[in-house]
Amino acid sequence: MNILLAFKAEPDLAMLAEKDWLAAGQGSLDTFITRPCLGEDEAAAAEILLRQAEGLNLTALSIGPERADSFLRQFKALGFLRAVRLQPDDELTFSPASVAALLAAWQQQHSQSLVVMGSRSAEGNSGQTGFYLAEQLGWPCFTQVYDFTLDGERQQVCLKQRHGAGKRSLTVRLPAVLMIESRGDYCLRTPGLRQKLAVKASDVEVLPVKAPGHEETFSPLVGLDHPQRQRGGLIIQGSDVREKVRSLYRDWLRNRMKS
């Protein structure tokens, strides 16, 4: 059974310094200088696939620049059969329909029984790529999936899905598109030293592709805004500690203790 894991290497904006955020507000920050990170949903999807029975042909695929190569090598070390990066001739950060079109073209050339991806990315956070892909392939698409089990003989997948305020289990005939929504249920395993050394840089297949044209409006990243999350505070004035304690009790604690 051929299974495709589609993921995206995202910039870790939490590591930016304050001066970098000031530059980002003017649109002069290149996000490729940041450390790449793997989305929680994609990491959970990879771990669920690695826990399945043997006999699966797993392919990890990413679309974009070379910052995804480190994760592709990691997947290769963990047992994925292929690690592929499609390098488009244009930036597709906020273009889910174009990303879905490239994935659909890959599916037509390399037949897959199941496509697994994350629900949302940290950059666009639109959650549209999976729906676009399912529409172009004519496959069913299931969101809010937090676990699944594959049955290769029957060509089925038994998935667990969050539904409203509860959960439900579904058995679906393949092919299908699954959008994983992780809430800390899975942690991606780390390859050992021998596994890492066995992977070469050439094991990552880099394939140049032409970005397909779509009617969707595409706007490049022109700036980033850093929301301030500072908590309010008040300095209690007084000549000594005793006076400060009295002021704290009189002005703040006494009314709360009564309520």
Side-chain angles (χ1 to χ4, degrees), residues 6-231:
F7 73 96
K8 182 178 183 180
E10 304 166 348
D12 189 0
L13 301 180
M15 301 299 293
L16 293 179
E18 187 65 27
K19 62 178 181 179
D20 295 325
W21 282 109
L22 294 176
Q26 302 175 358
S28 58
L29 174 68
D30 184 4
T31 57
F32 293 109
I33 67 174
T34 61
R35 184 188 66 178
C37 61
L38 184 65
E40 183 180 355
D41 294 342
E42 289 89 343
E47 178 61 26
I48 295 174
L49 287 173
L50 292 172
R51 295 188 182 189
Q52 303 297 319
E54 298 181 357
L56 301 179
N57 297 325
L58 302 179
T59 299
L61 184 145
S62 182
I63 301 175
E66 61 276 4
R67 67 182 178 190
D69 289 359
S70 59
F71 300 114
L72 289 169
R73 290 193 296 269
Q74 180 182 359
F75 290 139
K76 185 73 175 180
L78 289 174
F80 277 68
L81 183 63
R82 299 182 65 182
V84 182
R85 178 168 61 87
L86 303 182
Q87 187 168 340
D89 55 357
D90 199 357
E91 175 62 37
L92 301 178
T93 300
F94 303 108
S95 182
S98 298
V99 172
L102 291 177
L103 293 176
W106 172 268
Q107 157 63 25
Q108 294 176 359
Q109 298 176 4
H110 309 83
S111 179
Q112 307 290 319
S113 300
L114 179 68
V115 177
V116 184
M117 62 178 58
S119 294
R120 300 174 183 269
S121 67
E123 292 177 299
N125 197 29
S126 63
Q128 298 179 358
T129 306
F131 295 109
Y132 277 122
L133 176 61
E135 181 181 11
Q136 295 181 27
L137 296 177
W139 293 4
C141 180
F142 299 90
T143 62
Q144 296 182 309
V145 177
Y146 64 92
D147 195 6
F148 62 88
T149 304
L150 291 165
D151 188 345
E153 295 182 0
R154 299 182 180 180
Q155 288 292 304
Q156 294 178 346
V157 56
C158 180
L159 57 93
K160 296 181 180 180
Q161 182 185 45
R162 293 183 177 90
H163 180 67
K167 301 177 180 179
R168 66 180 180 182
S169 298
L170 301 174
T171 300
V172 181
R173 182 172 298 175
L174 299 176
V177 177
L178 302 185
M179 299 173 64
I180 306 300
E181 182 179 289
S182 173
R183 297 183 181 178
D185 300 326
Y186 291 94
C187 180
L188 180 61
R189 65 192 69 181
T190 302
L193 181 59
R194 291 186 177 180
Q195 292 174 305
K196 292 181 179 180
L197 294 177
V199 178
K200 304 177 183 178
S202 58
D203 290 336
V204 176
E205 306 174 39
V206 181
L207 306 176
V209 293
K210 182 176 178 57
H214 283 274
E215 297 180 357
E216 63 176 342
T217 57
F218 168 68
S219 300
L221 179 64
V222 296
L224 295 172
D225 185 21
H226 187 203
Q228 299 296 329
R229 296 186 176 91
Q230 298 179 355
R231 301 181 65 178

